[in-house]
Amino acid sequence: MPLKLSDATVSSFDNVFDKFKSEAPKNKANFILFLADKDPSTSLSWCPDCVRAEPVIYKTLEASPDDIALLQAYVGDRPTWRNPQHPFRVDSRFKLTGVPTLFRWEYDTVSGRLEDHDAHLEHKIKALLSAD
């Protein structure tokens, strides 16, 4: 089954997240990946951990035979992300401390998470994917 991707920025997150939540029951698993924006001069993320983790996350989720949704939530450029009052840092649902962070979303809440130091580990992504 194809991986269903949707993208959100800080400004579009609420609307995209509402749609993501409304479609969640149709999927076997639903994930939210918070990651850094791409640097326009290089087309790469400004975050080295994101550069390392993204391909592993996508490959692992795409290999699943189940319907999976992935909301990619971009935190902004480095100065925006570094602000302690960044909306994703202070959001009580996520309490984000680093990027990339991969959340499993079930029953209208976070049911599992991989922080920046674990998000590139395929066996941990698979464990999060198979968690029931």
Side-chain angles (χ1 to χ4, degrees):
M1 295 288 157
L3 179 62
K4 301 176 207 169
L5 292 174
S6 51
D7 291 344
T9 61
V10 174
S11 61
S12 70
F13 183 80
D14 288 339
N15 289 334
V16 175
F17 188 51
D18 285 344
K19 184 172 190 261
F20 174 82
K21 290 189 298 184
S22 73
E23 295 175 356
K26 301 174 188 172
N27 305 309
K28 172 74 173 161
N30 298 282
F31 292 91
I32 306 166
L33 175 61
F34 288 93
L35 65 165
D37 283 18
K38 307 271 189 250
D39 180 332
S41 65
T42 64
S43 297
L44 294 173
S45 172
W46 56 259
C47 164
D49 290 337
C50 294
V51 171
R52 179 172 60 166
E54 282 182 71
V56 182
I57 291 168
Y58 299 136
K59 181 183 96 170
T60 306
L61 297 182
E62 287 170 350
S64 172
D66 298 315
D67 285 332
I68 295 174
L70 177 64
L71 169 55
Q72 301 170 116
Y74 292 92
V75 302
D77 61 16
R78 187 185 309 257
T80 301
W81 170 242
R82 294 286 182 217
N83 180 348
Q85 295 305 307
H86 188 287
F88 296 150
R89 289 185 185 273
V90 299
D91 189 316
S92 62
R93 297 169 295 186
F94 308 115
K95 299 180 184 115
L96 205 61
T97 59
V99 288
T101 299
L102 181 65
F103 289 96
R104 182 161 180 160
W105 185 263
E106 291 181 304
Y107 310 110
D108 213 29
T109 192
V110 172
S111 64
R113 72 191 284 157
L114 292 176
E115 305 271 345
D116 50 353
H117 53 276
D118 287 336
H120 68 287
L121 300 172
E122 185 174 358
H123 71 281
K124 291 199 174 195
I125 300 165
K126 285 181 178 178
L128 193 61
L129 179 59
S130 63
D132 283 324

